[in-house]
Amino acid sequence: MIARLPMTLTGKLASLYAIATLIILACVGTYLYRALASQLAARDDHELVEKIEQFRHILLETPDSAAIIKDKHRFIDAAMGHHGLIVMLVDVNGQTLMKNHDAAGALTPSQIVPIGQEPHPRLIWNWEYASGKTARTIVAWAKLDKAAEPVKVVVGRTASERTQLLADYLQEVLAAMIGASVLAALLGYLAVRRALRPLKIIASQAHSITAQHLERRLDAHLAPPEMQTLVASFNAVLDRLQDSFQRLSQFSADLAHDLRTPLYNLTMQTQVALSQPRSNEEYIALFSSSLEEYERLSRMVESMLFLARADNAQVALSVQALNAFNELQRIADYFEGIAEDAKVKITVDGQGTIAADPALFRRAVSNLVANAIRFTPAGNTVRLYLERGSTSNVIGVANPGSGIEQAHLARIFDRFYRADQSRSRSGSSTGLGLAIVDSIMKLHGGKVEVESVLNGMTTFRLRFPVKPPS
């Protein structure tokens, strides 16, 4: 079976343009054809009325029936000059006195115009003057000059001339329609091809966009107004794709760097330990150090798996109405020992409920509290609080410290990004804590915000919607 090749857009539009032109011309041609046929019929009927009036006038100057038979050419000459005209003069006895055509059809008119009444086109009827042939005919009584008996005048006109004229006109109309449709298809093809030229340029631009040239964009000025929105949307997709690609590249680089450090430490420690015999105490110290590195790798892998599941919406939420004060106090109690070691206090304020998944809520707030304790100078306080709103409830974690520079605020939720590079090698941090907080808030249909003043307060706000997503 031969597969059909798809028609190009240019060909489709040109074909549709030609078909539309053909339909319009057919409608116009049909209207003009009918109008011409109606006008020709009206003209013929008007000539029949005039002609029968002419013969009535001639018969008024004719003394009797014998004069008609004797001078037939007078009446035949009056009928000349009109193609397809049938004229017959019949006396009251049905005898034909004169005729200019071999019409053999039975003359049974529906109406005969009486003497003294003017003929009218509505009195014209179709007479079958021969087998299968008809003529528009009018019949009237005419008065002779001296004879008492009138004469029946029959004037008809065959449709042959009008039919031939209409046939010729129809052929011309059909030829014009076909020619105009072909011309419309050709002009439509050229016009569409010219109109689609900017799209070909845009397609060429799109073809040049590769992974190595994601910074390139489509030129919206080349697109027609109807497609500028599409081009702008495509450019927006490229912006997001470039940003995601850059983030992925940075993530891969950061991941390799963070995995390399513990793996390098494990390798070096093992090589040193195997270089010569060691005491039990030295092996125990080696195993303890290796265990820390393994735990760090385990936390990193666990965090990466959580982020992967969150990105693909594979984390099932179990949203409940949580007592915010009790939850924050539980988290504060958990970090009490760490806070005492850092000589930092934790306070909890606010009453109300939060619609959230309990486990994810605690994980998000715990990540923020752990960071707050780490960066809070000794002798200061980390504050946990609740702010209630009409559309969202806010959990805040605020702490004093050196603060975060504005250049880092937009990226601190990126994976493996650390604003404080001096702590990038800290074994207690994987660089994924804030990224996990951001993912947890997106799962809840909320968002995380940060506000920081250098050498002042740094505040993270978790906005949980009052009506969480189903």
Side-chain angles (χ1 to χ4, degrees), residues 247 250 254 407-415 417-418:
R247 289 175 180 269
Q250 185 64 38
D254 293 338
H408 298 300
L409 288 179
R411 296 197 56 195
I412 61 174
F413 296 104
D414 293 349
R415 299 169 187 182
Y417 185 81
R418 296 181 179 87

Side-chain angles (χ1 to χ4, degrees), residues 238-258:
L238 291 177
D239 291 337
R240 295 191 295 270
L241 181 62
Q242 182 182 13
D243 180 68
S244 299
F245 191 82
Q246 291 176 348
R247 289 175 180 269
L248 180 60
S249 300
Q250 185 64 38
F251 171 74
S252 301
D254 293 338
L255 176 61
H257 179 270
D258 280 64

Side-chain angles (χ1 to χ4, degrees), residues 292-362:
E292 292 180 0
E293 297 296 343
Y294 288 134
E295 290 176 346
R296 180 183 177 187
L297 287 173
S298 178
R299 290 195 301 271
M300 188 181 302
V301 171
E302 181 187 357
S303 298
M304 290 168 55
L305 288 176
F306 174 83
L307 291 172
R309 292 195 300 269
D311 288 344
N312 292 279
Q314 295 179 358
V315 178
L317 294 181
S318 178
V319 179
Q320 301 176 16
L322 305 178
N323 186 302
F325 181 83
N326 292 342
E327 293 294 332
L328 294 179
Q329 187 61 53
R330 178 183 300 177
I331 295 172
D333 294 340
Y334 176 81
F335 284 96
E336 184 179 0
I338 300 175
E340 287 181 356
D341 292 341
K343 299 180 180 180
V344 173
K345 293 182 179 181
I346 302 177
T347 63
V348 178
D349 298 319
Q351 294 290 337
T353 59
I354 288 289
D357 182 283
L360 296 182
F361 174 84
R362 294 162 192 160

Side-chain angles (χ1 to χ4, degrees), residues 52 77 112 136 143 209 212 219 250 290 351 354 356 393:
I52 204 165
D77 292 343
I112 300 179
R136 295 284 289 170
K143 185 178 180 181
I209 299 174
Q212 293 75 26
D219 189 355
Q250 185 64 38
S290 298
Q351 294 290 337
I354 288 289
N393 295 321

Side-chain angles (χ1 to χ4, degrees), residues 82 89 113 116 277 301 318 412 434:
H82 297 277
L89 300 179
V113 182
V301 171
S318 178
I412 61 174
L434 292 181

